[in-house]
Amino acid sequence: MKIMLAYDGSRNARLALEQTMQMFHNNAPTLVLVGVAENPRDATDANEDLFQEEYRELKAQLQEGVETAVKGGFDAELLIAEGDARKLLLQATHKEKPDLLVIARHSHQPDPSFIAKSLNAIFDEFDYMTFGSVSSFLTRRAECPLLILPTGDSAAQE
């Protein structure tokens, strides 16, 4: 069994990894953690430097996620792509043919810092107005089963 998990190292992604490991431990699946670094909108040197830093951070977070899964007794690997997260996650499912794709639902409780909360609110609103969410996109287009895991306090209370 192969389970693909959209993973960016965020609090929600870490919670989704933990939940996936708990739910599927007895199935002994291979976990494929997929991260997407979004390309800068223009090709200035400053933007390229920021992108390279984001790429390095994402790769490190993916490696930490893989290490967590391996410590939990799973076979695990990582994939990293550059571009639009929605489209590249969909392409990854076509290429890897997972038995299940797991993504974390956005919560209204981002990482605790003020800056993260402010930026998250702005980007969530922008995504909603212009593109829709990654989970909505994949729900309509993924050709494999999709599991959207709740995160935040509501998930802990259930």
Side-chain angles (χ1 to χ4, degrees), residues 27-39:
N27 299 79
T30 297
L31 297 180
V32 180
L33 279 64
V34 181
V36 179
E38 297 204 26
N39 292 323

Side-chain angles (χ1 to χ4, degrees), residues 2-141:
K2 183 189 294 187
I3 297 176
M4 182 176 285
L5 176 70
Y7 193 84
D8 62 4
S10 67
R11 174 186 166 277
N12 290 350
R14 291 188 311 269
L15 288 170
L17 176 59
E18 290 173 18
Q19 290 175 317
T20 301
M21 290 170 53
Q22 289 173 359
M23 287 189 297
F24 295 100
H25 193 273
N26 291 338
N27 299 79
T30 297
L31 297 180
V32 180
L33 279 64
V34 181
V36 179
E38 297 204 26
N39 292 323
R41 299 211 187 276
D42 61 57
T44 64
D45 288 340
N47 279 345
E48 182 61 25
D49 291 343
L50 287 172
F51 173 75
Q52 292 302 324
E53 180 61 27
E54 177 187 335
Y55 187 91
R56 283 190 294 274
E57 288 177 14
L58 177 60
K59 189 171 184 179
Q61 291 167 339
L62 283 163
Q63 289 170 332
E64 288 176 18
V66 166
E67 289 171 12
T68 298
V70 169
K71 287 178 186 174
F74 292 86
D75 289 330
E77 57 190 63
L78 67 86
L79 290 175
I80 189 165
E82 299 174 20
D84 181 281
R86 298 165 304 154
K87 292 176 183 176
L88 290 171
L89 286 169
L90 184 61
Q91 286 178 1
T93 63
H94 292 159
K95 180 182 175 190
E96 294 292 319
K97 307 268 189 243
D99 297 296
L100 180 67
L101 173 61
V102 178
I103 58 176
R105 182 176 68 204
H106 277 289
S107 71
H108 296 289
Q109 298 175 350
D111 293 329
S113 76
F114 172 76
I115 293 171
K117 287 180 185 178
S118 299
L119 289 174
N120 194 44
I122 290 167
F123 287 121
D124 280 351
E125 186 63 25
F126 181 71
D127 282 348
Y128 178 76
M129 291 185 312
T130 58
F131 307 115
S133 70
V134 172
S135 57
S136 294
F137 181 87
L138 292 170
T139 299
R140 293 187 304 271
R141 291 171 178 84

